[in-house]
Amino acid sequence: MGVELLDRRVAECVGLWLAEGDNKTRMEITFTNNCWPLIDHFFKTIKKIFNIENFRFRIYTYTPNGSKVQIPIKGIRKRYYLHKRATKPYFILRLASVEIVKEWKKIVRDTLANKDFSPYVLRGFFAGEGNIHSGAHNNRVLRIAQGIRKKYIEDLLNQIGITKYSFYAPKRYYLIWNKKNWDIFAKLKIADLHPDKKERFWRLYSSFKEEHYSPNYLIEEVYKNLNSPKTTRELAKIYKRSFARLQDVVILLKKQGRISNFQIGSVSYWTKDENELIISKIKKKYLEFSKSPRLTFEFSKKFKVDWQSSNRRLKELEKLELVRRREDKKWIKTQAKKKITVIG
């Protein structure tokens, strides 16, 4: 079962709060960050969860020169302070309520206990405490700042399949390496919540050199991936290889009799399912129209194309054993022997 949008947002905010909130106070929910989109995300989610008005929140803004940064939230109580050591404005969002804090901490516990939420919690936590580092010799690592080892952080990493990591106590951070871990971060969009970290992550991720597979490995991987129809271009994107290389692979698999292809317009769709037929939306309409016996010219009139075009499509459907032509020259739909997938 998929995770609902609000649940995902709540889980992200649990991660944000664990990273940048105060989990010791019983009096208020607080969240500190210098990235306004994260502050706004946290504010809107908490507001929606507890159904409370803007005036219940306070936001404290700290700037190196004491200037008043525009806060695009109406009705919220605002305070401005000078912090000379600040390199850029940062914000502290506060919501005072003993009862709401109790409810929020229960939400945090329940969210951490549900493994389905792990990617979203980690996404929030990484937005707060994560960073992306590149060094000498094209060395790229992911880091999560933390003063001491935390079991829930390691649980989150393990639950999404991250295994190559360690806690580096002198520098007070978790160090995550290995291309497969970057792949997991990319697939789950772990770095995407913070706009600056998102840009840096994807820039460094795209700089990884093209992975090299043995010929047999790539052939078998492509074959396994064809449980559902895919184009050569889609496969090339998945395996980060050229279109020509993947075209060679699928043609070889077809020659081996392991997969088949169906042409939709100018694009070939490949599948290993022997009991699957892939047709276009227009051919599906032809099938629907052929439930009653029809002459070719009736199809051309119905679909506003010339006789040759309709005849060609009907011949293609006949080849797939989806229609047949009777002795009176009329086309009629047949009982499909295979599963029909409509694409396009």
Side-chain angles (χ1 to χ4, degrees):
M1 183 179 293
V3 179
E4 298 294 333
L5 177 60
L6 180 59
D7 292 336
R8 294 202 304 265
R9 291 175 63 91
V10 172
E12 288 170 352
C13 287
V14 166
L16 287 170
W17 181 78
L18 289 170
E20 301 279 20
D22 184 350
N23 60 9
K24 295 178 182 177
T25 179
R26 295 178 297 172
M27 306 299 293
E28 62 180 2
I29 296 175
T30 67
F31 174 60
T32 304
N33 207 272
N34 61 15
C35 176
W36 178 256
L38 297 185
I39 294 288
D40 190 54
H41 179 45
F42 193 85
F43 163 75
K44 288 177 178 176
T45 305
I46 296 296
K47 174 182 166 68
K48 189 170 184 65
I49 294 171
F50 298 109
N51 191 28
I52 48 182
E53 300 296 330
N54 289 9
F55 71 84
R56 296 279 302 276
F57 290 88
R58 293 167 292 147
I59 188 159
Y60 297 174
T61 304
Y62 295 81
T63 61
N65 56 11
S67 61
K68 291 189 175 183
V69 178
Q70 185 175 2
I71 305 296
I73 302 175
K74 294 181 179 179
I76 195 170
R77 290 182 286 173
K78 306 167 188 174
R79 297 287 185 273
Y80 297 91
Y81 297 95
L82 173 68
H83 187 180
K84 292 183 178 180
R85 295 176 61 186
T87 56
K88 60 186 294 188
Y90 68 92
F91 313 91
I92 302 177
L93 182 70
R94 288 177 167 166
L95 172 63
S97 169
V98 174
E99 289 304 314
I100 287 178
V101 170
K102 285 182 182 178
E103 291 183 53
W104 172 244
K105 288 187 175 180
K106 183 180 185 304
I107 289 172
V108 172
R109 291 193 298 271
D110 292 345
T111 302
L112 287 175
N114 189 331
K115 293 181 181 180
D116 290 341
F117 294 135
S118 296
Y120 310 103
V121 176
L122 192 58
R123 187 183 298 164
F125 200 92
F126 194 83
E129 294 284 22
N131 68 73
I132 302 102
H133 177 74
S134 62
H137 309 295
N138 209 24
N139 182 36
R140 288 153 293 197
V141 294
L142 302 164
R143 295 172 176 171
I144 298 177
Q146 203 60 210
I148 59 173
R149 293 184 66 168
K150 297 281 180 66
K151 183 179 183 301
Y152 71 80
I153 296 176
E154 295 177 13
D155 287 343
L156 291 171
L157 292 172
N158 294 334
Q159 285 159 10
I160 68 167
I162 300 292
T163 55
K164 301 288 187 181
Y165 69 87
S166 63
F167 182 73
Y168 187 46
K171 294 290 187 179
R172 298 159 62 92
Y173 57 63
Y174 283 91
L175 191 65
I176 302 167
W177 65 95
N178 189 282
K179 171 62 164 52
K180 289 184 178 179
N181 286 336
W182 280 74
D183 291 339
I184 292 171
F185 263 61
K187 180 180 179 181
L188 298 176
K189 300 181 179 179
I190 300 297
D192 278 19
L193 196 58
H194 191 297
D196 295 340
K197 294 175 185 180
K198 176 182 178 180
E199 185 279 329
R200 181 167 176 78
F201 173 86
W202 288 104
R203 176 162 45 83
L204 289 179
Y205 182 66
S206 65
S207 70
F208 276 100
K209 291 181 179 178
E210 185 180 73
E211 295 177 77
H212 295 280
Y213 303 98
S214 67
N216 287 338
Y217 175 84
L218 188 56
I219 290 167
E220 294 307 316
E221 283 298 305
V222 169
Y223 178 73
K224 286 191 290 186
N225 215 333
L226 289 176
N227 288 321
S228 59
K230 290 182 177 63
T231 66
T232 306
R233 199 166 300 282
E234 288 172 334
L235 292 168
K237 186 175 181 180
I238 291 170
Y239 295 105
K240 301 180 178 64
R241 302 305 297 260
S242 68
F243 178 90
R245 178 71 184 97
L246 266 298
Q247 189 73 353
D248 289 342
V249 171
V250 291
I251 289 173
L252 177 60
L253 285 168
K254 183 178 180 180
K255 287 180 178 178
Q256 293 173 347
R258 300 171 69 188
I259 66 173
S260 55
N261 70 304
F262 297 86
Q263 198 80 7
I264 306 296
S266 60
V267 180
S268 275
Y269 285 83
W270 303 88
T271 179
K272 69 177 183 181
D273 190 344
E274 296 178 355
N275 294 311
E276 182 176 32
L277 296 175
I278 303 171
I279 63 172
S280 64
K281 288 181 179 179
I282 186 64
K283 284 181 180 172
K284 182 185 178 184
K285 291 179 180 179
Y286 269 66
L287 283 181
E288 294 295 322
F289 193 56
S290 63
K291 287 180 179 178
S292 299
R294 312 275 186 182
L295 291 167
T296 305
F297 87 87
E298 293 180 82
F299 287 91
S300 60
K301 183 178 179 181
K302 168 73 174 177
F303 298 107
K304 299 178 182 179
V305 294
D306 58 42
W307 186 93
Q308 289 84 354
S309 178
S310 286
N311 189 59
R312 185 169 59 252
R313 283 207 171 92
L314 289 164
K315 288 285 187 183
E316 290 168 355
L317 290 170
E318 183 182 36
K319 188 176 180 181
L320 296 174
E321 299 182 350
L322 295 177
V323 299
R324 66 178 178 85
R325 200 174 191 184
R326 306 191 318 183
E327 290 184 3
D328 61 1
K329 307 297 184 183
K330 291 185 177 181
W331 297 92
I332 185 73
K333 182 181 178 182
T334 62
Q335 182 66 40
K337 299 176 182 178
K338 298 182 178 182
K339 176 182 70 175
I340 296 175
T341 299
V342 179
I343 292 177

